[in-house]
Amino acid sequence: MSFFGEDVFGADAMRAYLPQNVADALLATIEDRAPLDPGIAGDVASAMRNWAVDRGATHYTHWFLPLNGATAEKHDAFLDFENGHPIMALSAKNLIVGEPDASSFPSGGLRSTFEARGYTAWDPTSPAFIKRHGKGATLCIPTAFCSFSGESLDKKTPLLRSRQAIVAATKRLMKVFGLPEERVSVTLGIEQEYFLIDRNFYLQRPDLVQTGRTVFGAPPAKQQQLEDHYFGLIKMRVLDIMSEVEQELWRLGIPAKTRHNEVAPAQFELAPIFEDANLACDHNMLVMEVLRQVAKRHGMACLLHEKPFAGVNGSGKHNNWSISYGGKNLLNPGGDPGQNAIFLTVLAAILTAVDRHADLLRATVATAGNDHRLGASEAPPAIISVFLGDQLTAVIDSICGGNGAKAHKASALRIGVDTLPPLPRDATDRNRTSPFAFTSNKFEFRAPGASQSCADPCTMINLIVADAFDEIATRLEAATGDFNTALQSLLRELFTAHRRIIFNGDGYGDEWIHEAERRGLPNRRDALDALSVFRSPENIALCSRYGVYNERELASRFEVFSEEYVSRIRIEGAVALDIASTMIIPAVQNEFASAASALRDAEALGIDAASAPLRSRAEALGDGLSGLLSATVALESALQESPHSIQGSMAALRKVADDMEQLVTDAHWPLPKYREMLFIY
Ligand code: ADP
Ligand code: MG
């Protein structure tokens, strides 16, 4: 593994290319997340350039995460001239700030043209890396992207701000427990699901190429009934891609660890070892990029859409989130009662946070693609709830004096540091249906979609948990008398108030929808509705109080994300109309013409036995043709209307088209079918 991290300007490279005192200063800056000493910036820039040039780089770019959810880069050559001679240069200024302008990225009103300039600012906590392409290589410098007035135009800045909020709140809370100050880290392990299909099929599907999902396609006879794909033997062609992806990722210092087949045919998963959340989010963006590129080199297409195939499992991105203090995971139910008291406090804070702000969490996963996935086959519903498992739930019930009390002899249970019984360790059973599940020593937020950046969901988890930590700290700081008694009564109060968010049952069932409604949990099925919570005064107040988003920044997110939602649906509608008009209708017309001519022949020849079936086939095709024509007319006018009416018209059109797919001669159907895309690779 000597090549792990070889394309990253990490600690080893810094030590190799910088004088020791400068390397120490830089590493300390990164560790403490302090601003860079301007005195060393020049040395750091030259070292980074020398390192990159030694590895074949000719260009550098500030690499950032604009609000469109992608990554952005604008390359500049190191080339400069000194006394008429060409040299390779990277100045301190070019390392630290960039002015990519980049005025075409969505800003949601944060930039009017007179102040259109956008700035990028180096984020030293995410190391620079080299991207290779053909014969060239580019040094990528991770940066934050903001407007002239300092407002965030990206996904990284709020994440870094939310990190600060949760770090401060954690230190405060731990101080209440009498612990000395230690380092706090927020960790994230991001499991990425994706589909791989043959690229020839992909290129013949204008819907996949333009929207990432199939807007037509009849279900194949074989889907996942046999459950023969999950964890099954990985096909050689796919394994080749996986290994090449991993080697590229390792070179970039991305700790890809696990690979396996997923539940749906042609669906796979890649999971890395968890890392600092900011780094994990950057790394996941690179994971998606490398997956796409390597698949393409192998003649396949990697689909990262949340729902490429209707009726088949969608793809998500599980965000495994945890927080540690002085290197100790606070979500580890501990070996000793002191640690258990902290664990239960953190658990109470998280339940409080998720229950209070389920709507904010939901909003961070509200995209057009994810709308197809949430609540559909094998994906968590749009209702946010927390899975804890029976044993932990029983502990909480006993603290509240509820039902679980009997089972766990709650009368004896006190939170007092010496009286708390050991908690079940690693006793959480698995529940794949929960959007926010406790899994041994971390929470797994499973609602995020496969194609989205994890920065928004992680920002929100950090923020709402910080708020709950602060509230608990405030209460405990003000408590008089015995600490354990105060803690016990506070935990009881919080668990009692928020246990409605705990749900250990089947999140896929209809009963849960009714039960959740009875419990008063929000169920926002529709992304636009879900996003609207960014406009509520309480949410604006919460986000501004912690400086994570100011009012204008939050409003801009609402605007950008809802506009993106509407445009995506309009594009899907237009693509469906195009495919129907130029591919499907002509195919059905031809099929009708040949059925009609066969019918005429049968009648002319007096072959009565054939006339009846040929007539009914021609009639079915004729009906289909007329259905398709009226559905396309309806879709055409719906395209001027709301997303809902576009979606309604697309569904009606798809119904007829998919019926026709099952009638038209296979060789004449103009689009690769589900059974081909999902099973032939
Ligand atoms: P699963 O049962 O979901 O496959 P794994 O144990 O394989 O669970 O872990 C899934 C992901 O969770 C991995 O990316 C792993 O690195 C990550 N993970 C494990 N511990 C933590 C932690 N303390 N903080 C954040 N992520 C973690
Ligand atoms: Mg998982």
Side-chain angles (χ1 to χ4, degrees), residues 187-191 271-274 320-322 329 430 441-442 444:
T187 51
L188 201 59
I190 303 171
E191 298 166 71
I273 296 172
F274 66 93
N320 293 273
W321 180 95
S322 188
N329 184 351
R430 291 285 150 157
N441 58 3
K442 61 193 188 285
E444 186 170 346

Short mmCIF file of all heavy atoms in Angstrom, two decimals, residues 187-191 271-274 320-322 329 430 441-442 444, ligand 1:
data_model
loop_
_atom_site.label_atom_id
_atom_site.label_comp_id
_atom_site.label_asym_id
_atom_site.label_seq_id
_atom_site.Cartn_x
_atom_site.Cartn_y
_atom_site.Cartn_z
N THR A 187 -17.13 12.70 12.96
CA THR A 187 -16.69 11.72 11.96
C THR A 187 -17.86 11.29 11.08
O THR A 187 -19.01 11.25 11.52
CB THR A 187 -16.08 10.48 12.64
OG1 THR A 187 -16.99 10.00 13.63
CG2 THR A 187 -14.76 10.81 13.29
N LEU A 188 -17.51 10.98 9.83
CA LEU A 188 -18.54 10.60 8.88
C LEU A 188 -17.99 9.45 8.03
O LEU A 188 -16.88 9.53 7.52
CB LEU A 188 -18.87 11.81 8.00
CG LEU A 188 -20.21 11.84 7.28
CD1 LEU A 188 -21.36 11.78 8.25
CD2 LEU A 188 -20.30 13.12 6.45
N GLY A 189 -18.80 8.40 7.91
CA GLY A 189 -18.46 7.30 6.99
C GLY A 189 -19.60 7.23 5.99
O GLY A 189 -20.75 7.06 6.37
N ILE A 190 -19.27 7.42 4.72
CA ILE A 190 -20.32 7.58 3.72
C ILE A 190 -20.40 6.36 2.81
O ILE A 190 -19.50 6.11 2.01
CB ILE A 190 -20.06 8.85 2.87
CG1 ILE A 190 -19.96 10.08 3.79
CG2 ILE A 190 -21.16 9.03 1.84
CD1 ILE A 190 -19.49 11.33 3.06
N GLU A 191 -21.46 5.59 2.95
CA GLU A 191 -21.66 4.42 2.08
C GLU A 191 -22.34 4.89 0.80
O GLU A 191 -23.37 5.55 0.85
CB GLU A 191 -22.54 3.39 2.77
CG GLU A 191 -21.94 2.83 4.05
CD GLU A 191 -22.98 2.07 4.86
OE1 GLU A 191 -23.38 0.98 4.43
OE2 GLU A 191 -23.40 2.59 5.91
N ALA A 271 -18.00 1.44 0.45
CA ALA A 271 -17.95 2.15 1.74
C ALA A 271 -16.50 2.38 2.14
O ALA A 271 -15.68 1.47 2.07
CB ALA A 271 -18.68 1.35 2.82
N PRO A 272 -16.19 3.61 2.53
CA PRO A 272 -14.84 3.90 3.02
C PRO A 272 -14.79 3.77 4.54
O PRO A 272 -15.83 3.68 5.19
CB PRO A 272 -14.67 5.37 2.63
CG PRO A 272 -16.06 5.94 2.71
CD PRO A 272 -17.03 4.82 2.47
N ILE A 273 -13.59 3.79 5.07
CA ILE A 273 -13.43 3.92 6.52
C ILE A 273 -13.75 5.38 6.86
O ILE A 273 -13.40 6.29 6.11
CB ILE A 273 -11.98 3.59 6.92
CG1 ILE A 273 -11.70 2.12 6.59
CG2 ILE A 273 -11.73 3.90 8.39
CD1 ILE A 273 -10.25 1.72 6.77
N PHE A 274 -14.42 5.57 7.99
CA PHE A 274 -14.87 6.93 8.32
C PHE A 274 -13.69 7.87 8.55
O PHE A 274 -12.60 7.46 8.93
CB PHE A 274 -15.80 6.92 9.53
CG PHE A 274 -15.14 6.50 10.82
CD1 PHE A 274 -14.60 7.45 11.67
CD2 PHE A 274 -15.06 5.17 11.18
CE1 PHE A 274 -13.99 7.08 12.86
CE2 PHE A 274 -14.45 4.78 12.37
CZ PHE A 274 -13.91 5.73 13.20
N ASN A 320 -22.96 7.75 8.01
CA ASN A 320 -22.69 7.26 9.37
C ASN A 320 -21.99 8.37 10.12
O ASN A 320 -20.86 8.74 9.79
CB ASN A 320 -21.80 6.02 9.31
CG ASN A 320 -22.54 4.85 8.67
OD1 ASN A 320 -23.23 4.11 9.34
ND2 ASN A 320 -22.41 4.71 7.35
N TRP A 321 -22.68 8.88 11.13
CA TRP A 321 -22.22 10.09 11.82
C TRP A 321 -21.91 9.78 13.28
O TRP A 321 -22.68 9.08 13.94
CB TRP A 321 -23.32 11.14 11.72
CG TRP A 321 -23.03 12.46 12.37
CD1 TRP A 321 -22.53 13.58 11.76
CD2 TRP A 321 -23.26 12.83 13.73
NE1 TRP A 321 -22.43 14.59 12.67
CE2 TRP A 321 -22.86 14.17 13.89
CE3 TRP A 321 -23.75 12.14 14.85
CZ2 TRP A 321 -22.95 14.85 15.10
CZ3 TRP A 321 -23.83 12.81 16.07
CH2 TRP A 321 -23.43 14.16 16.18
N SER A 322 -20.81 10.32 13.74
CA SER A 322 -20.53 10.18 15.16
C SER A 322 -19.66 11.34 15.61
O SER A 322 -19.20 12.14 14.80
CB SER A 322 -19.84 8.85 15.44
OG SER A 322 -19.75 8.67 16.83
N ASN A 329 -15.13 7.83 21.24
CA ASN A 329 -16.43 7.98 20.59
C ASN A 329 -17.52 8.19 21.65
O ASN A 329 -17.75 7.33 22.49
CB ASN A 329 -16.71 6.73 19.75
CG ASN A 329 -17.99 6.84 18.97
OD1 ASN A 329 -18.78 7.78 19.15
ND2 ASN A 329 -18.21 5.89 18.08
N ARG A 430 -30.40 -4.99 13.51
CA ARG A 430 -30.39 -4.22 12.28
C ARG A 430 -31.81 -3.89 11.86
O ARG A 430 -32.69 -4.72 11.96
CB ARG A 430 -29.71 -5.03 11.17
CG ARG A 430 -28.24 -5.18 11.43
CD ARG A 430 -27.57 -3.87 11.13
NE ARG A 430 -26.39 -3.69 11.96
CZ ARG A 430 -25.39 -2.89 11.62
NH1 ARG A 430 -25.45 -2.21 10.51
NH2 ARG A 430 -24.37 -2.74 12.41
N ASN A 441 -22.43 2.24 17.46
CA ASN A 441 -21.65 3.33 18.05
C ASN A 441 -21.70 4.57 17.18
O ASN A 441 -20.81 5.41 17.20
CB ASN A 441 -20.20 2.89 18.25
CG ASN A 441 -19.57 2.45 16.94
OD1 ASN A 441 -20.21 2.54 15.88
ND2 ASN A 441 -18.34 2.00 16.99
N LYS A 442 -22.75 4.66 16.35
CA LYS A 442 -22.88 5.79 15.44
C LYS A 442 -24.33 5.87 15.00
O LYS A 442 -25.07 4.89 15.16
CB LYS A 442 -21.98 5.58 14.23
CG LYS A 442 -22.36 4.32 13.42
CD LYS A 442 -21.30 3.92 12.42
CE LYS A 442 -21.74 2.80 11.50
NZ LYS A 442 -21.75 1.45 12.13
N GLU A 444 -26.78 6.35 11.72
CA GLU A 444 -26.70 6.21 10.27
C GLU A 444 -27.91 6.93 9.67
O GLU A 444 -29.04 6.47 9.82
CB GLU A 444 -26.72 4.72 9.94
CG GLU A 444 -26.50 4.41 8.49
CD GLU A 444 -26.28 2.90 8.25
OE1 GLU A 444 -26.03 2.15 9.21
OE2 GLU A 444 -26.38 2.50 7.09
P1 ADP B 1 -22.98 -1.36 8.01
O1 ADP B 1 -23.55 -2.37 8.87
O2 ADP B 1 -23.90 -0.24 7.73
O3 ADP B 1 -22.34 -1.92 6.75
P2 ADP B 1 -20.25 -0.77 8.95
O4 ADP B 1 -19.75 -1.13 10.29
O5 ADP B 1 -19.71 -1.50 7.78
O6 ADP B 1 -21.83 -0.75 8.96
O7 ADP B 1 -19.95 0.76 8.75
C1 ADP B 1 -20.54 1.50 7.79
C2 ADP B 1 -19.81 2.82 7.72
O8 ADP B 1 -19.82 3.43 9.01
C3 ADP B 1 -18.34 2.70 7.33
O9 ADP B 1 -18.07 3.70 6.40
C4 ADP B 1 -17.64 2.93 8.64
O10 ADP B 1 -16.34 3.45 8.47
C5 ADP B 1 -18.56 3.94 9.28
N1 ADP B 1 -18.32 4.12 10.71
C6 ADP B 1 -17.97 3.20 11.64
N2 ADP B 1 -17.74 3.79 12.82
C7 ADP B 1 -17.97 5.13 12.66
C8 ADP B 1 -17.88 6.28 13.50
N3 ADP B 1 -17.53 6.20 14.76
N4 ADP B 1 -18.18 7.47 12.95
C9 ADP B 1 -18.55 7.58 11.67
N5 ADP B 1 -18.64 6.55 10.85
C10 ADP B 1 -18.35 5.33 11.31
#
